[in-house]
Amino acid sequence: MKTKAFALILLALLLGTGSRTQEKPQDRRRFLDPKTQVSDDPRRIAVKPGPRGPEGTLVLRGGRIFDGTGTPAHEGTLVIERNKIVKLLPAGSSDWPKDAQVIDVSGKTVLPGLIDLHTHLTYPLNEENFGLALNEADATLRGAEKLRYFIESGITSVRDVGSQGDVPFRLKFQVPPQSFPPRYVASAFSSRHSRK
């Protein structure tokens, strides 16, 4: 009888503490203002607003639109405000603000930015220059040049999975946002140098 009573009390305690345990991360969002920009990961850490694009409205008129949904590319017009696509219009439409900057992209294909999820920004392009990879100054310059190359090639998001020392982290915070992909993720990678 005492064993059953003890088991019931223990069970009641265990079930009762479940409601007082730490809340799940997704439940913490209720404490954030909905307008607060947060990180994309489950932690939802408040972050400074990122690049918002240029002022005004940009219209890409007359091109073939490839949207990545599996449908074939089709004629159309994109209306972009800051860094957000606000309208996808049929080819003949002109439903955009009068003061918009209009770029004729006839004969061209417009597609979403590409993503490179495995890059080493500071690695040299050939084996002859591999000795330079150990020099942080050269690695930094090489990384900045590769970021410029990525954005010029249509790659708008990159993830560096390991480069020289803390160069990727320095690049993320020191290079002006318009100079490299707006989404740049530097991974935590153990370096051959340890900080003391």
Side-chain angles (χ1 to χ4, degrees), residues 27-77:
D27 297 334
R28 294 182 188 148
R29 291 184 206 159
R30 66 182 172 180
F31 299 109
L32 296 173
D33 181 345
K35 296 176 186 170
T36 302
Q37 276 198 305
V38 295
S39 61
D40 292 339
D41 61 34
R43 298 175 298 157
R44 300 290 179 204
I45 297 170
V47 294
K48 290 189 283 188
R52 294 184 32 157
E55 293 284 339
T57 303
L58 176 68
V59 176
L60 302 178
R61 181 181 62 187
R64 292 170 34 95
I65 309 295
F66 175 82
D67 60 13
T69 62
T71 60
H74 56 280
E75 296 295 320
T77 297

Side-chain angles (χ1 to χ4, degrees), residues 76-92:
T77 297
L78 280 178
V79 180
I80 304 167
E81 290 179 5
R82 294 220 163 264
N83 64 346
K84 191 170 244 164
I85 297 172
V86 293
K87 291 182 188 173
L88 177 58
L89 303 172

Side-chain angles (χ1 to χ4, degrees), residues 38-40 51 115-116 156-159 172 180-185:
V38 295
S39 61
D40 292 339
I115 301 170
D116 186 340
T156 59
S157 299
V158 297
R159 179 181 66 175
K172 180 173 178 65
F180 66 92
R183 290 188 160 247
Y184 171 53
V185 179

Side-chain angles (χ1 to χ4, degrees), residues 11-151:
L11 183 62
L13 285 174
L14 289 174
L15 293 176
T17 59
S19 63
R20 290 189 299 266
T21 59
Q22 183 176 357
E23 294 179 30
K24 295 178 183 171
Q26 61 268 24
D27 297 334
R28 294 182 188 148
R29 291 184 206 159
R30 66 182 172 180
F31 299 109
L32 296 173
D33 181 345
K35 296 176 186 170
T36 302
Q37 276 198 305
V38 295
S39 61
D40 292 339
D41 61 34
R43 298 175 298 157
R44 300 290 179 204
I45 297 170
V47 294
K48 290 189 283 188
R52 294 184 32 157
E55 293 284 339
T57 303
L58 176 68
V59 176
L60 302 178
R61 181 181 62 187
R64 292 170 34 95
I65 309 295
F66 175 82
D67 60 13
T69 62
T71 60
H74 56 280
E75 296 295 320
T77 297
L78 280 178
V79 180
I80 304 167
E81 290 179 5
R82 294 220 163 264
N83 64 346
K84 191 170 244 164
I85 297 172
V86 293
K87 291 182 188 173
L88 177 58
L89 303 172
S93 178
S94 60
D95 182 25
W96 59 75
K98 292 178 183 173
D99 62 340
Q101 177 187 357
V102 180
I103 299 174
D104 184 15
V105 292
S106 299
K108 296 180 171 68
T109 301
V110 179
L111 67 149
L114 303 172
I115 301 170
D116 186 340
L117 291 176
H118 189 123
T119 187
H120 302 276
L121 287 177
T122 64
Y123 283 23
L125 297 176
N126 55 46
E127 288 188 27
E128 293 94 43
N129 296 334
F130 205 79
L132 295 175
L134 302 177
N135 181 309
E136 281 202 14
D138 287 328
T140 304
L141 293 171
R142 198 170 28 259
E145 179 65 15
K146 284 185 181 177
L147 288 171
R148 183 188 62 78
Y149 172 76
F150 281 138
I151 200 72

